[in-house]
Amino acid sequence: MEEVAVIIVGAGPSGIATSACLNRLEIPNIVLEREGCCGSLWKKRAYDRLKLHIPKQYCELPYMSYPSNAPTFVPRNGFIAYLDEYLSHFGVTPRFNRSVGLAFYDVDAGKWRLEVTNVCSHVKEVYVAQFLVVATGENAEGVIPDIPGLGGFAGEYMHASQFSNGREYRGKDVLVVGCGNSGMEISYDLCQSNARTSIVNRSPVHVVTKEMVSLAMILLKFLSVTSVDTILAKLCKLRFDDLSEYGIQRPEEGPFYLKKTQGRSPTIDVGCVDRIKEGKIKVFPSMANIQGKKIEFTNGESNQFDVIIFATGYRSTVGRWLKGGEELFDDNGFPKQDLVNKWKGSNGLYCVGFARNGLLAISSDAKNVSQDISTLILNCQNC
Ligand SMILES: Cc1cc2nc3c(=O)[nH]c(=O)nc-3n(C[C@H](O)[C@H](O)[C@H](O)COP(=O)(O)OP(=O)(O)OC[C@H]3O[C@@H](n4cnc5c(N)ncnc54)[C@H](O)[C@@H]3O)c2cc1C
Ligand SMILES: NC(=O)C1=CN([C@@H]2O[C@H](COP(=O)(O)OP(=O)(O)OC[C@H]3O[C@@H](n4cnc5c(N)ncnc54)[C@H](OP(=O)(O)O)[C@@H]3O)[C@@H](O)[C@H]2O)C=CC1
Ligand SMILES: O=C(O)C(=O)Cc1c[nH]c2ccccc12
């Protein structure tokens, strides 16, 4: 058994940012990570052409900027290099291959107790800490919906997090499910690689450009969300016109209203819309059922596909291993909406990276959490 002031679960951007902030405050902490590396989402579960969608100044972790010669929209490898540099700069040393299977608050000891498996040696370990920071992310596990007949699909299927590069699918009939950022970007990549590409869109979606988002981020400093959304609506009309004839409707609420109230990101077009307009990417409504390689859609159309890529989002898995966090987390493993500080629970429980606002929110969560822990430790020492 090992005891430390703070245990952080997860060595993604959230976990390493929190550890860095605690190191600066000289608060002992241990980061436990189930994978063999930091930033596993970016290193092992992301496609090759992924870039940060918002400008680098909004994607910084605390106390370290990107190199001045880094491009505005940092590519995946640049972000990975930044994460590795961040670790060494702040002396963050996660314990890798440690999967947290159970964490609970031991009332008698007044501390958090974690049961951890070393996934390489299968040795069980126990950690005890006064403070527990959950940093396992909004994207802990890919979601694949239960489509009738999927189990018997005669082709190959995978989640977007397992997709690397369109060139592997050249000449194949590929269906991408979902019109979020993953779905639209993977569809574009497949189409550019000469896969016969189709995409499923089941509900209204805001499609914008990265330039519009960059502008909106500046305007939001001076204008209301409603005003910014009104400006974006006009820019979208100019750039894309009405896409409903191609199967893409816009939600009634604006993109930044939805981001702020529901955490739903607009889809940032990387070229997919032009391919859809050219007829090179075909848009289908929801899938009804699958028989062999034949997929039937809810409009009665059907087609044969070799591959399905489910870009149908992610889920948090906190509920599976954390017991006693019900005050902070809801049944979906996200902080409860009515909390004042969505990063703080009771008994020394915290979370970082669940605000559905990307790296910007991760940075402020990490600073808030480490500052709060520091204050509590100082108050305790003085009492
Ligand atoms: C494809 C994609 C692109 C994105 N692009 C942007 C962007 O451009 N800009 C932006 O601001 N945001 C972006 N985001 C959102 C967000 O910034 C990233 O998801 C970011 O990686 C989240 O960091 P995190 O540390 O909270 O979670 P993650 O990066 O998911 O890290 C969580 C870590 O916890 C580990 N873990 C999980 N469960 C356990 C367990 N039980 N025991 C031990 N370890 C565990 C995981 O292995 C993982 O390494 C993107 C998200 C995705 C999915
Ligand atoms: N470069 C970047 O910065 C990138 C950022 N990201 C970010 O990562 C996060 C995850 O993105 P992403 O992976 O796209 O996931 P999202 O959750 O954002 O999108 C999933 C999409 O799949 C649709 N969907 C879900 N279930 C079904 C179903 N059964 N049938 C049809 N459609 C379905 C959803 O539609 P519905 O609304 O109807 O549920 C939604 O449009 C987001 O925050 C995103 O912005 C992702 C990729 C690149
Ligand atoms: O990629 C994401 O989903 C993010 O959360 C990053 C992000 C933060 N603020 C935004 C506003 C519009 C689009 C993406 C983001």
Side-chain angles (χ1 to χ4, degrees):
M1 189 190 89
E2 199 164 347
E3 185 161 349
V4 67
V6 189
I7 295 274
I8 300 164
V9 186
S14 298
I16 64 179
T18 310
S19 178
C21 291
L22 291 170
N23 287 353
R24 277 172 51 100
L25 296 164
E26 297 181 1
I27 297 172
N29 63 89
I30 292 176
V31 184
L32 300 172
E33 167 58 51
R34 67 180 172 190
E35 300 288 343
C37 61
C38 72
S40 66
L41 177 77
W42 292 85
K43 289 181 180 171
K44 296 168 80 168
R45 293 191 286 141
Y47 43 86
D48 292 348
R49 56 165 296 126
L50 181 67
K51 281 182 180 176
L52 298 181
H53 263 172
I54 48 177
K56 62 180 179 181
Q57 62 270 31
Y58 304 108
C59 294
E60 284 175 3
L61 299 183
Y63 313 115
M64 195 172 121
S65 298
Y66 291 88
S68 55
N69 61 355
T72 305
F73 298 96
V74 177
R76 178 186 172 200
N77 281 342
F79 185 65
I80 288 171
Y82 172 81
L83 288 183
D84 287 338
E85 171 63 22
Y86 193 86
L87 253 80
S88 60
H89 186 80
F90 291 104
V92 176
T93 51
R95 298 203 183 168
F96 294 120
N97 304 308
R98 301 309 205 285
S99 179
V100 177
L102 178 66
F104 64 96
Y105 187 68
D106 180 341
V107 182
D108 295 335
K111 290 189 174 147
W112 289 91
R113 192 178 167 91
L114 287 84
E115 297 179 8
V116 177
T117 304
N118 183 323
V119 294
C120 291
S121 65
H122 304 289
V123 170
K124 306 274 183 203
E125 298 171 337
V126 172
Y127 292 84
V128 171
Q130 191 183 349
F131 302 99
L132 173 63
V133 181
V134 177
T136 48
E138 302 163 344
N139 311 115
E141 187 175 89
V143 172
I144 295 189
D146 196 10
I147 310 284
L150 179 61
F153 179 55
E156 181 193 354
Y157 74 90
M158 72 194 79
H159 186 261
S161 52
Q162 294 158 296
F163 174 88
S164 302
N165 197 303
R167 76 170 92 85
E168 293 161 43
Y169 304 96
R170 185 191 172 96
K172 298 206 167 165
D173 283 289
V174 187
L175 180 66
V176 180
V177 187
C179 267
N181 277 303
S182 300
M184 292 283 257
E185 187 152 9
I186 289 172
S187 299
Y188 176 74
D189 195 43
L190 286 161
C191 181
Q192 294 304 93
S193 303
N194 294 320
R196 282 184 297 280
T197 310
S198 303
I199 190 165
V200 170
N201 181 31
R202 70 168 180 184
S203 41
V205 58
H206 280 293
V207 182
V208 298
T209 65
K210 62 184 191 314
E211 290 77 16
M212 289 178 201
V213 172
S214 307
L215 174 67
M217 303 290 249
I218 298 167
L219 293 179
L220 281 169
K221 292 180 183 150
F222 314 103
L223 300 175
S224 67
V225 168
T226 315
S227 308
V228 173
D229 278 344
T230 307
I231 294 168
L232 281 198
K234 293 197 166 71
L235 292 173
C236 285
K237 178 94 182 88
L238 279 174
R239 170 62 184 84
F240 298 113
D241 208 354
D242 183 6
L243 295 173
S244 52
E245 67 175 285
Y246 303 101
I248 299 174
Q249 277 91 27
R250 283 185 185 275
E252 277 177 21
E253 295 98 346
F256 276 84
Y257 175 81
L258 288 174
K259 184 72 187 152
K260 193 175 160 195
T261 55
Q262 296 176 21
R264 273 179 66 185
S265 298
T267 298
I268 299 172
D269 181 49
V270 291
C272 189
V273 168
D274 286 341
R275 297 291 100 88
I276 289 172
K277 285 182 172 173
E278 290 161 8
K280 290 190 175 152
I281 297 176
K282 190 168 163 47
V283 182
F284 285 104
S286 291
M287 297 157 86
N289 61 70
I290 301 173
Q291 285 168 307
K293 280 192 166 184
K294 190 176 123 191
I295 299 181
E296 193 178 344
F297 299 92
T298 49
N299 63 353
E301 281 188 75
S302 61
N303 210 338
Q304 302 272 334
F305 291 97
D306 302 307
V307 183
I308 312 172
I309 295 164
F310 286 101
T312 38
Y314 293 83
R315 65 167 74 90
S316 160
T317 53
V318 176
R320 280 190 216 149
W321 57 269
L322 178 67
K323 308 294 164 216
E326 293 78 13
E327 195 188 301
L328 179 56
F329 289 101
D330 65 18
D331 291 346
N332 295 320
F334 276 82
K336 289 186 171 163
Q337 281 310 305
D338 51 359
L339 293 171
V340 182
N341 289 324
K342 294 191 179 56
W343 42 267
K344 183 171 181 176
S346 51
N347 298 326
L349 178 66
Y350 295 86
C351 68
V352 172
F354 291 88
R356 298 189 198 262
N357 204 16
L359 296 157
L360 198 58
I362 286 173
S363 186
S364 68
D365 281 355
K367 285 184 186 168
N368 285 330
V369 166
S370 54
Q371 201 51 61
D372 201 74
I373 290 174
S374 167
T375 307
L376 286 173
I377 289 176
L378 281 176
N379 285 348
C380 197
Q381 279 166 358
N382 294 336
C383 67

